[in-house]
mmCIF file of all heavy atoms in Angstrom:
data_model
loop_
_atom_site.group_PDB
_atom_site.id
_atom_site.type_symbol
_atom_site.label_atom_id
_atom_site.label_comp_id
_atom_site.label_asym_id
_atom_site.label_seq_id
_atom_site.Cartn_x
_atom_site.Cartn_y
_atom_site.Cartn_z
ATOM 1 N N LEU K 1476 -6.324 28.113 8.186
ATOM 2 C CA LEU K 1476 -6.614 27.390 6.939
ATOM 3 C C LEU K 1476 -7.035 28.354 5.821
ATOM 4 O O LEU K 1476 -7.798 29.273 6.035
ATOM 5 C CB LEU K 1476 -7.791 26.405 7.183
ATOM 6 C CG LEU K 1476 -8.211 25.533 5.961
ATOM 7 C CD1 LEU K 1476 -7.036 24.621 5.550
ATOM 8 C CD2 LEU K 1476 -9.449 24.796 6.257
ATOM 9 N N THR K 1477 -6.343 28.114 4.621
ATOM 10 C CA THR K 1477 -6.753 28.834 3.394
ATOM 11 C C THR K 1477 -7.200 27.729 2.435
ATOM 12 O O THR K 1477 -7.204 26.566 2.823
ATOM 13 C CB THR K 1477 -5.591 29.641 2.794
ATOM 14 O OG1 THR K 1477 -4.675 28.769 2.260
ATOM 15 C CG2 THR K 1477 -4.939 30.527 3.899
ATOM 16 N N LYS K 1478 -7.549 28.111 1.198
ATOM 17 C CA LYS K 1478 -7.968 27.183 0.228
ATOM 18 C C LYS K 1478 -6.868 26.241 -0.298
ATOM 19 O O LYS K 1478 -7.178 25.146 -0.892
ATOM 20 C CB LYS K 1478 -8.607 27.877 -0.910
ATOM 21 C CG LYS K 1478 -9.921 28.460 -0.587
ATOM 22 C CD LYS K 1478 -10.647 29.040 -1.797
ATOM 23 C CE LYS K 1478 -12.009 29.627 -1.440
ATOM 24 N NZ LYS K 1478 -12.750 30.157 -2.622
ATOM 25 N N LYS K 1479 -5.653 26.554 0.033
ATOM 26 C CA LYS K 1479 -4.546 25.766 -0.527
ATOM 27 C C LYS K 1479 -3.603 25.335 0.548
ATOM 28 O O LYS K 1479 -2.749 24.457 0.270
ATOM 29 C CB LYS K 1479 -3.749 26.530 -1.620
ATOM 30 C CG LYS K 1479 -4.602 26.833 -2.843
ATOM 31 C CD LYS K 1479 -3.703 27.505 -3.898
ATOM 32 C CE LYS K 1479 -4.515 27.700 -5.213
ATOM 33 N NZ LYS K 1479 -3.667 28.329 -6.267
ATOM 34 N N GLU K 1480 -3.616 25.928 1.723
ATOM 35 C CA GLU K 1480 -2.640 25.555 2.744
ATOM 36 C C GLU K 1480 -3.167 25.830 4.157
ATOM 37 O O GLU K 1480 -4.139 26.576 4.319
ATOM 38 C CB GLU K 1480 -1.251 26.354 2.464
ATOM 39 C CG GLU K 1480 -1.382 27.802 2.402
ATOM 40 C CD GLU K 1480 -0.065 28.434 1.909
ATOM 41 O OE1 GLU K 1480 0.926 27.740 1.705
ATOM 42 O OE2 GLU K 1480 -0.108 29.598 1.691
ATOM 43 N N SER K 1481 -2.415 25.263 5.080
ATOM 44 C CA SER K 1481 -2.668 25.489 6.507
ATOM 45 C C SER K 1481 -1.406 25.777 7.153
ATOM 46 O O SER K 1481 -0.358 25.348 6.781
ATOM 47 C CB SER K 1481 -3.344 24.264 7.115
ATOM 48 O OG SER K 1481 -3.570 24.404 8.515
ATOM 49 N N PHE K 1482 -1.446 26.585 8.206
ATOM 50 C CA PHE K 1482 -0.277 26.970 8.999
ATOM 51 C C PHE K 1482 -0.547 26.532 10.430
ATOM 52 O O PHE K 1482 -1.636 26.685 10.981
ATOM 53 C CB PHE K 1482 0.051 28.386 8.937
ATOM 54 C CG PHE K 1482 0.445 28.855 7.543
ATOM 55 C CD1 PHE K 1482 -0.454 29.367 6.629
ATOM 56 C CD2 PHE K 1482 1.817 28.774 7.159
ATOM 57 C CE1 PHE K 1482 -0.045 29.806 5.425
ATOM 58 C CE2 PHE K 1482 2.246 29.208 5.904
ATOM 59 C CZ PHE K 1482 1.273 29.762 5.072
ATOM 60 N N LEU K 1483 0.548 26.011 11.084
ATOM 61 C CA LEU K 1483 0.505 25.784 12.512
ATOM 62 C C LEU K 1483 1.490 26.708 13.132
ATOM 63 O O LEU K 1483 2.682 26.628 12.964
ATOM 64 C CB LEU K 1483 0.894 24.309 12.835
ATOM 65 C CG LEU K 1483 0.768 23.958 14.291
ATOM 66 C CD1 LEU K 1483 -0.729 24.015 14.750
ATOM 67 C CD2 LEU K 1483 1.290 22.521 14.560
ATOM 68 N N HIS K 1484 0.985 27.752 13.799
ATOM 69 C CA HIS K 1484 1.822 28.778 14.409
ATOM 70 C C HIS K 1484 2.135 28.299 15.862
ATOM 71 O O HIS K 1484 1.182 27.943 16.627
ATOM 72 C CB HIS K 1484 1.095 30.116 14.458
ATOM 73 C CG HIS K 1484 0.579 30.548 13.130
ATOM 74 N ND1 HIS K 1484 1.382 31.174 12.160
ATOM 75 C CD2 HIS K 1484 -0.599 30.427 12.520
ATOM 76 C CE1 HIS K 1484 0.658 31.381 11.075
ATOM 77 N NE2 HIS K 1484 -0.582 30.963 11.307
ATOM 78 N N ILE K 1485 3.374 28.445 16.205
ATOM 79 C CA ILE K 1485 3.825 28.107 17.585
ATOM 80 C C ILE K 1485 4.415 29.384 18.236
ATOM 81 O O ILE K 1485 5.416 29.827 17.739
ATOM 82 C CB ILE K 1485 4.825 26.950 17.544
ATOM 83 C CG1 ILE K 1485 4.245 25.753 16.805
ATOM 84 C CG2 ILE K 1485 5.299 26.554 18.931
ATOM 85 C CD1 ILE K 1485 5.230 24.575 16.649
ATOM 86 N N THR K 1486 3.686 29.762 19.283
ATOM 87 C CA THR K 1486 4.106 30.952 19.994
ATOM 88 C C THR K 1486 4.888 30.665 21.232
ATOM 89 O O THR K 1486 4.414 29.842 22.093
ATOM 90 C CB THR K 1486 2.877 31.823 20.271
ATOM 91 O OG1 THR K 1486 2.155 32.079 19.175
ATOM 92 C CG2 THR K 1486 3.269 33.119 21.006
ATOM 93 N N ALA K 1487 6.037 31.266 21.405
ATOM 94 C CA ALA K 1487 6.919 31.105 22.538
ATOM 95 C C ALA K 1487 7.017 29.613 22.899
ATOM 96 O O ALA K 1487 6.643 29.238 24.008
ATOM 97 C CB ALA K 1487 6.361 31.930 23.723
ATOM 98 N N PRO K 1488 7.592 28.837 22.046
ATOM 99 C CA PRO K 1488 7.620 27.333 22.314
ATOM 100 C C PRO K 1488 8.526 26.946 23.442
ATOM 101 O O PRO K 1488 9.417 27.693 23.798
ATOM 102 C CB PRO K 1488 8.194 26.786 20.968
ATOM 103 C CG PRO K 1488 8.994 27.847 20.385
ATOM 104 C CD PRO K 1488 8.215 29.151 20.739
ATOM 105 N N LYS K 1489 8.198 25.798 24.047
ATOM 106 C CA LYS K 1489 8.937 25.230 25.116
ATOM 107 C C LYS K 1489 9.578 23.914 24.688
ATOM 108 O O LYS K 1489 9.063 23.306 23.716
ATOM 109 C CB LYS K 1489 8.093 25.053 26.383
ATOM 110 C CG LYS K 1489 7.490 26.319 26.949
ATOM 111 C CD LYS K 1489 6.615 26.083 28.151
ATOM 112 C CE LYS K 1489 6.067 27.373 28.734
ATOM 113 N NZ LYS K 1489 5.251 27.144 29.895
#
Side-chain angles (χ1 to χ4, degrees):
Chain K
L1476 181 65
T1477 73
K1478 288 187 178 180
K1479 294 184 178 180
E1480 56 192 352
S1481 177
F1482 293 93
L1483 185 65
H1484 308 277
I1485 301 177
T1486 302
K1489 298 181 178 181

